[in-house]
Amino acid sequence: MQFTELISTLDGLHRQLSQQAARQADQLLTLRNYLFGFYIVEFEQHGIDRAAYGQQLHKRLSIELQKYSIKGVSDRSLRQYRQFYLTYPQIWQTLSAKFKLPDFELIQKIDVASNANTNQDLPALNPSLLLDRLTYSHFVELLKVDNPLLRRFYEVEALKNNWKVHELNRAITTLLAERTSLSTDKAAVIARIQENQPAGLEDLIRNPYLLEFLGLQEKPEYTENDLEKAIIDNLQDFLLELGRGFCFEARQKRISFGNRHYRIDLVFYHRILKCHVLIDLKIGEFDHADAGQMTVYLNYYKANEMSAGDNPPVGIILCASKDNSLVEYATNGMANEVFVSQYLSELPDKKQLLALIERESHGL
């Protein structure tokens, strides 16, 4: 062996074992968070003094655990761990087998919960694949998907395509499952996630607004223009979805500040509230910059578009998903003029999506 070969061998060994160590550490983190969730649920159901804590349980628990210098135990994180356990009871069998946990009574309890809570209608997926190939950060993204069938789609695609966390996030926030089920060229739609190309936007709002009336036809892929055209073509139904009193005024309303120009996606006037309603469409998750942009729009309308008797304008930011705490901080002090809603597409046919998941999971 040459000296240069020795260096290369040791470097490769270091990289390989470091990766394994990091992966095992993440699996142990997943195990810890999962068990935190389990014990929290157990206390909520059977704790002797649980009534004394009530709605303050997670906050009180967070305060006490931080005294022990435990990381990742904020009020919000503890609620997330609880949700993790309730969403993935079937993971327990893999965790107990892999790490040979000694608490056999605990194992028996969770095995019973796993068999009782696993959705039998979903295509089968070996839970050990999830634990072996997804990090806890992947699970955080998956927990954002309330519908078990849609969540299974993202689980399968994340495994099949070796998605990184940001790729999984992008798939969920751009409604990949809905877009794929509506497209004839499904492989092209899925491939865009890793190519980092702009994804199509074919849905809109309520909190959540379910726009079943759009009736999008199958096309190879969907674009944002398809959505805008569908909304305008079905404007009457869209106004009914929004509620009473909305009168359509403008689409892509341009406002200018010197040589800088901005466009407001949709502008309505509410005849009951006597104010303008400005709607801004966002493809992905809500970001604090979205609130700042809407503030600019609202201030412009206050200064230039209000008539005698009008009330101040209202802004609605329509996005694929939102983090409620971020929304709270970003919109604090804005006098409730900005509302962040979530849009959903027309739900895909269940049988069609089941067939797609079965096909995509073949060979995993």
Side-chain angles (χ1 to χ4, degrees):
M1 176 182 291
Q2 298 291 329
F3 182 75
T4 54
E5 291 179 302
L6 175 61
I7 295 297
S8 177
T9 299
L10 295 180
D11 177 63
L13 181 62
H14 170 77
R15 292 177 182 274
Q16 179 183 358
L17 295 182
S18 295
Q19 290 175 356
Q20 291 180 3
R23 188 70 195 93
Q24 186 173 21
D26 192 87
Q27 288 182 341
L28 290 172
L29 173 65
T30 301
L31 171 63
R32 187 207 72 166
N33 296 345
Y34 189 89
L35 290 177
F36 272 26
F38 167 75
Y39 279 113
I40 290 172
V41 171
E42 281 292 298
F43 180 81
E44 289 175 337
Q45 295 177 349
H46 308 296
I48 296 175
D49 56 345
R50 64 186 185 276
Y53 297 92
Q55 298 297 321
Q56 298 295 315
L57 172 62
H58 298 91
K59 184 175 293 186
R60 291 285 302 277
L61 191 58
S62 173
I63 293 172
E64 294 301 319
L65 289 176
Q66 289 183 53
K67 294 179 180 179
Y68 293 85
S69 300
I70 300 177
K71 303 295 185 182
V73 288
S74 67
D75 182 356
R76 181 186 175 201
S77 295
L78 293 174
R79 293 179 186 277
Q80 189 179 79
Y81 303 156
R82 177 183 182 277
Q83 182 188 3
F84 181 34
Y85 164 69
L86 293 174
T87 304
Y88 287 98
Q90 71 275 20
I91 283 181
W92 172 254
Q93 296 176 3
T94 298
L95 289 172
S96 60
K98 180 179 288 290
F99 297 103
K100 297 182 173 56
L101 299 177
D103 195 337
F104 295 108
E105 182 179 354
L106 177 64
I107 292 174
Q108 185 178 14
K109 283 183 179 180
I110 300 186
D111 279 342
V112 171
S114 175
N115 293 330
N117 295 334
T118 302
N119 193 324
Q120 301 298 323
D121 294 333
L122 294 177
L125 183 62
N126 188 340
S128 65
L129 286 175
L130 296 173
L131 183 64
D132 288 339
R133 294 165 60 181
L134 300 182
T135 68
Y136 181 68
S137 295
H138 283 92
F139 286 113
V140 171
E141 296 299 326
L142 291 167
L143 290 175
K144 298 176 182 178
V145 184
D146 295 328
N147 186 308
L149 182 59
L150 298 180
R151 190 187 313 115
R152 178 55 50 86
F153 171 87
Y154 292 115
E155 292 166 354
V156 169
E157 293 302 329
L159 294 172
K160 181 178 179 180
N161 297 288
N162 294 315
W163 279 343
K164 298 177 181 178
V165 175
H166 77 273
E167 292 170 335
L168 175 60
N169 171 271
R170 186 168 184 270
I172 293 172
T173 57
T174 58
L175 304 181
L176 179 67
E178 290 86 345
R179 290 189 293 110
T180 303
S181 66
L182 291 169
S183 301
T184 56
D185 191 353
K186 303 183 188 305
V189 177
I190 294 173
R192 282 182 176 271
I193 295 300
Q194 287 179 307
E195 293 171 3
N196 201 32
Q197 298 179 18
L201 175 65
E202 67 278 353
D203 317 276
L204 202 56
I205 40 185
R206 203 158 61 195
N207 197 15
Y209 284 105
L210 184 60
L211 302 187
E212 298 176 329
F213 60 85
L214 290 182
L216 296 173
Q217 299 299 313
E218 281 196 351
K219 296 174 61 177
E221 295 182 64
Y222 282 97
T223 67
E224 187 170 346
N225 289 336
D226 294 325
L227 170 64
E228 289 189 359
K229 184 177 184 302
I231 291 174
I232 299 303
D233 290 346
N234 297 273
L235 189 57
Q236 180 178 351
D237 293 321
F238 178 61
L239 292 175
L240 291 175
E241 285 289 314
L242 289 176
R244 292 182 57 224
F246 284 88
C247 303
F248 177 70
E249 187 170 292
R251 170 191 179 189
Q252 292 297 307
K253 170 72 173 179
R254 191 178 78 169
I255 61 176
S256 301
F257 303 91
N259 291 324
R260 302 189 67 177
H261 308 287
Y262 300 88
R263 293 186 180 274
I264 306 172
D265 293 321
L266 295 171
V267 178
F268 296 88
Y269 188 83
H270 201 286
R271 59 182 177 81
I272 299 174
L273 298 177
K274 297 188 182 304
C275 69
H276 284 97
V277 179
L278 315 180
I279 295 182
D280 195 20
L281 307 180
K282 297 297 177 184
I283 292 178
E285 288 183 297
F286 171 80
D287 186 83
H288 64 88
D290 301 329
Q293 180 172 296
M294 178 58 75
T295 301
V296 172
Y297 297 163
L298 293 173
N299 288 337
Y300 177 90
Y301 259 72
K302 286 179 183 177
N304 300 283
E305 300 290 341
M306 286 181 60
S307 300
D310 281 354
N311 289 312
V314 171
I316 302 178
I317 302 170
L318 305 173
C319 45
S321 63
K322 67 178 189 290
D323 182 303
N324 287 329
S325 60
L326 176 59
V327 171
E328 177 183 348
Y329 291 127
T331 60
N332 188 33
M334 299 181 70
N336 295 322
E337 294 171 341
V338 176
F339 302 92
V340 180
S341 295
Q342 226 175 342
Y343 64 71
L344 288 177
S345 66
E346 178 180 357
L347 294 178
D349 178 78
K350 182 177 181 180
K351 292 183 179 179
Q352 181 183 10
L353 192 53
L354 281 170
L356 174 62
I357 296 173
E358 290 280 10
R359 185 171 68 253
E360 290 291 298
S361 61
H362 181 70
L364 281 177

